[in-house]
Structures are given as C-alpha cells and as structure tokens.
Amino acid sequence: MTDPARIVIGCEQLGGTDWGELDPVEVSAAISHAFDAGLTIFDTADVYGLGESERRLAKALGPRRHAATIITKAGVRWEQTGGRAKTYKDNSPGYLAAALDASLARLRVEAIDLYFIHWPDESASIEETLEFCNGAVQSGKIKAFGFSNFADAAVRHGAERGMSAIQASFNLLSSAEERASFEKWKELGLHRFGYGALAQGLLTGKYDLASTFNGDDRRHRLPHFRAENWPRTVEALKAIENLAADAGLSVGQSAIQAARQSGFVDHVIVGVKNVRQVDELVQLDSHRLNMSDLAPLYEGIGWQKA
C-alpha cells in the first residue's frame, strides 16, 4: 500500500472570516496542539483575514515557528472600502515584492519555506512572475515556490523554471479532468498539495440539500452546495459512510483518509477549528481504508493499487 499523503494544517480559519462563527482563540490553541502532536506543516495566505491568519499563526506557534514548515501564498491584493474587502489578482513583481516582505514581517521569520502564487493573473507576465520567485529564492527570502490553482500549461512552464510544488483542490468530488492534472503534475516531479478534502464540510455528512449558510460563510456561494450538483454528492457520501463504518472512523475522517490514500496528492491540507479535530487527524495514521469501495466514483482514473 502506498504511504498516505502527509497532513498539512490549513490556517484559513485563523483569519476569522468567511467560515461562519468560530473562535480564533480556540483555533490558535488547535494550531499549537497540532505542532505538539507532530503535525508541523502549516498552510496560510496573506489574504486570509487580510493578514490576520499569518499574524495569528506566528503568535500561536511562538518560537516554534522556526522549527515548523510554513507555507504562505500571495498574488491576491485587497482594498478595504467598508464592508467586505475588495480583492483582485496581482502577480506583478512589484506587488509580490511588497507582499513577500509583509508576509515575512507578519510571520516573524527570515525565510518562508514554500511560497505559492495564489491564483493566476491574466494581466501579468508569467515570465516576470517566475523571475521574481527565482530571485526571492536566490536572495534567501523563500526556500521554494509553486503555483496554486494554475492551469496545466502554466504549471508545466513553471516546473521548467525552478518551481517545485503545485496546490489545487482535491477530494472525492473532483472530476476526472482534475484528477488527470494531478497525474501530470506527478510526472513533472512536483510536490502536490490538495486542499478541500472535506469539500468545505460537505463530505462530513453534516449538511444536506436543506442546509443554509449566512452571508459571512463562503459556503452559501460554492457550487457543490447547489441542488443541481447534489446527486454526485449523495453518491460520494454513501461510499464514504460505508468506508467509515468498516474502518471505525467518522465520515469526515474517512473522506480525509481517502484523499491521503488516493495517490493523487503528496500532502492533504486540512483546516482545524479546535483541539478535538486535531486529535481526529492524528488518529488517521493507524487506519487504512479499503479503497476498492470507491472505484465507482473514479470512472476516468483509478486509485493507485497496492
């Protein structure tokens, strides 16, 4: 059996926005607990909470931040004009240089372990963006860089110019086309980071078609919560429930473990809101799922075989 992908602790919730009601103090305690439990890779972005996630991550880790592996992202700038901030993509070297220095200051580190360009910016020159990233490696401000949410052609180009990692959404609802991209990225020798293993909570089994979310919860605008996409969701949830029953895990744990065992990703990013959720992640290393039960969900590309 292929070793499961490593768990990375997602820190978007530390920003305190876009996920409904949560307690940043409780999330910070979960971050500290995760490090103590051996989960020492943390993924954030400068735009999460408009800088607050980075600040709170540094505070939660304290001096241990120098021993942790910290991933952050840039390329989405924001303007606070009252109410919800206005955001837009900017991968220009001038903006990225300022964003990188700001992230270093908020995280209180001398170098960032892995720096992702968060989203593609069609108005920017990808050559100039890559030149900036390679320059930041040479100057010692970042140790490695990658693309997040970029198309295959751009990823291949980046891999030819020193990029070492790719980040994109991956879960049991991912399409055959999306899974094929992860296969291509493996061939390029890139470290593959998958986020959204729980599909923003949908694959926990806690929600159904009647579930509603208020305006400060991003799930009210995500496509896989819509009625027209629900049949695919029900199919995935039934498969996960069967796995969970056989393995003695919760539905959410099984969805995460399925992503870890899939062979499509090297790292699975999972956000946490409390210490209990961290403990549930730690438990996963002692469980293996019968992945053949998921075969009907993967008509285009099969799971890696043992």
Side-chain angles (χ1 to χ4, degrees):
M1 175 70 71
T2 302
D3 287 338
R6 295 189 68 180
I7 292 175
V8 175
I9 299 298
C11 300
E12 185 171 3
Q13 290 91 332
L14 269 178
T17 59
D18 238 11
W19 289 102
E21 292 185 11
L22 55 84
D23 182 354
V25 174
E26 196 171 2
V27 180
S28 294
I31 297 298
S32 179
H33 184 63
F35 186 94
D36 291 339
L39 302 175
T40 59
I41 309 175
F42 301 90
D43 176 271
T44 185
D46 60 358
V47 75
Y48 296 163
L50 311 183
E52 278 304 302
S53 177
E54 291 181 326
R55 292 188 190 95
R56 289 171 176 166
L57 176 59
K59 184 177 181 181
L61 291 173
R64 296 175 298 176
R65 66 189 179 279
H66 301 294
T69 297
I70 294 180
I71 302 165
T72 194
K73 301 178 282 292
V76 179
R77 62 191 305 170
W78 61 85
E79 294 178 359
Q80 291 179 289
T81 56
R84 186 176 178 84
K86 177 183 178 182
T87 59
Y88 53 98
K89 299 162 188 172
D90 188 346
N91 293 348
S92 65
Y95 173 69
L96 290 176
L100 174 55
D101 285 343
S103 287
L104 287 166
R106 287 189 290 261
L107 290 166
R108 292 187 284 149
V109 294
E110 288 69 45
I112 290 167
D113 296 294
L114 178 55
Y115 198 62
F116 279 112
I117 305 303
H118 204 161
W119 287 92
D121 170 13
E122 299 300 329
S123 67
S125 162
I126 192 170
E127 291 293 344
E128 291 182 356
T129 300
L130 288 167
E131 183 177 351
F132 164 80
C133 291
N134 279 298
V137 172
Q138 292 170 8
S139 70
K141 291 187 177 182
I142 64 175
K143 298 177 183 178
F145 68 92
F147 285 163
S148 175
N149 304 301
F150 277 65
D152 286 342
V155 172
R156 180 173 294 276
H157 189 62
E160 294 169 350
R161 294 288 309 278
M163 189 177 89
S164 61
I166 178 68
Q167 183 177 125
S169 173
F170 179 79
N171 54 56
L172 294 181
L173 301 178
S174 295
S175 66
E177 182 180 4
E178 289 169 324
R179 299 193 302 274
S181 290
F182 277 96
E183 293 270 291
K184 294 174 186 176
W185 300 336
K186 180 179 181 179
E187 293 172 1
L188 293 173
L190 297 174
H191 295 282
R192 299 163 299 166
F193 290 76
Y195 66 82
L198 294 175
Q200 289 74 44
L202 191 60
L203 297 181
T204 63
K206 294 188 297 184
Y207 306 109
D208 58 29
L209 191 55
S211 299
T212 59
F213 304 93
N214 59 32
D216 67 351
D217 191 315
R218 64 164 52 191
R219 285 168 287 199
H220 81 281
R221 60 180 186 274
L222 293 178
H224 47 267
F225 281 88
R226 294 175 186 158
E228 62 269 25
N229 296 322
W230 198 251
R232 173 73 168 165
T233 300
V234 171
E235 183 183 8
L237 283 171
K238 287 180 179 177
I240 298 170
E241 287 168 359
N242 290 335
L243 286 175
D246 291 341
L249 298 173
S250 69
V251 172
Q253 283 177 309
S254 294
I256 294 167
Q257 190 69 345
R260 294 182 71 205
Q261 289 182 221
S262 69
F264 289 107
V265 293
D266 304 298
H267 301 80
V268 174
I269 302 169
V270 185
V272 294
K273 293 183 178 181
N274 52 56
V275 167
R276 175 186 56 79
Q277 291 178 345
V278 173
D279 289 336
E280 290 177 352
L281 292 178
V282 173
Q283 294 170 11
L284 294 180
D285 276 337
S286 60
H287 290 81
R288 293 292 185 274
L289 302 179
N290 182 359
M291 301 298 282
S292 62
D293 290 348
L294 294 177
L297 293 175
Y298 285 82
E299 65 286 348
I301 301 173
W303 296 100
Q304 275 193 355
K305 301 297 186 294

